[in-house]
Amino acid sequence: LSLMPERRVVITVVDTEGTLIPEAEVFAEFEDGSSGGTSPLGDGKFEAHGLSDEPFKIVTQVAGRYYTQSHDPANPEARVVIPLHGKVVVEFGRPLAHEGQGGFLFRLRATDPSEKIRLTEVLDPTGQTRCVFARVYPGAYELSVVYVPSDEDRKNGQEIENLAGALPVQVQAGAE
């Protein structure tokens, strides 16, 4: 009986300009359809561990979109390069305010049915003047904004309020 030491691969996730992407989510997908997690090492670096000698796929999720690349675990390092994303900044003419204790829900949804991208940001009603989606894959989106009452406010009859729906947003790579 001979035991093989487990293989480990350090995975670095960057955009096309070389900027580390710390908010990426990374996991390993194996030929048999199973998957394994990774441990974050900080600043866009992750470690896949418990690997065999068999090649596997590195699956990386950034801002609602998945990227996959094959990797041979004989190489202890991998670099995943994600296309440059854009940023969506929603500015308000006046601070957000509501008499309730709920929150403002901002949804950004890809209009292309083949893209399953749905991003969400929640802001509390404390006078904020902007909402930022920091990394958004380039393409066409619709932005909606609703006020969602707290559980207590719902018990008192307050309902979800649609404040803006289906506003078109076009995202360009590297643009705001």
Side-chain angles (χ1 to χ4, degrees):
L1 174 71
S2 71
L3 297 175
M4 298 291 294
E6 76 171 30
R7 293 200 182 261
R8 297 173 179 265
V9 174
V10 174
I11 303 163
T12 303
V13 182
V14 297
D15 65 22
T16 55
E17 294 181 340
T19 303
L20 292 165
I21 303 177
E23 69 273 15
E25 294 178 20
V26 179
F27 63 93
E29 188 175 90
F30 306 106
E31 291 292 320
D32 65 4
S34 65
S35 62
T38 60
S39 300
L41 301 176
D43 293 333
K45 293 184 183 236
F46 303 83
E47 182 180 61
H49 40 80
L51 302 171
S52 70
D53 290 335
E54 298 297 316
F56 66 98
K57 290 182 181 165
I58 298 170
V59 180
T60 306
Q61 190 268 116
V62 175
R65 192 158 201 274
Y66 289 86
Y67 304 89
T68 304
Q69 73 182 46
S70 296
H71 187 75
D72 182 344
N75 182 351
E77 295 185 9
R79 186 175 180 90
V80 176
V81 180
I82 302 299
L84 193 60
H85 285 61
K87 179 191 283 189
V88 173
V89 178
V90 183
E91 299 269 357
F92 319 116
R94 56 189 166 89
L96 289 174
H98 199 281
E99 67 274 0
Q101 297 301 309
F104 292 93
L105 177 66
F106 291 76
R107 287 189 186 125
L108 201 57
R109 182 184 63 79
T111 58
D112 180 348
S114 69
E115 291 286 356
K116 304 290 186 225
I117 301 173
R118 285 175 174 62
L119 304 174
T120 303
E121 291 289 336
V122 178
L123 301 180
D124 60 33
T126 58
Q128 298 186 54
T129 59
R130 66 191 309 211
C131 175
V132 178
F133 292 90
R135 278 191 203 279
V136 183
Y137 186 76
Y141 293 83
E142 288 181 345
L143 174 71
S144 63
V145 182
V146 296
Y147 176 77
V148 180
S150 67
D151 290 340
E152 186 65 31
D153 288 340
R154 274 189 236 162
K155 289 177 188 173
N156 294 326
Q158 198 169 48
E159 296 180 3
I160 293 174
E161 294 177 41
N162 186 12
L163 304 174
L167 299 172
V169 175
Q170 186 66 41
V171 178
Q172 304 291 325
E176 186 172 302

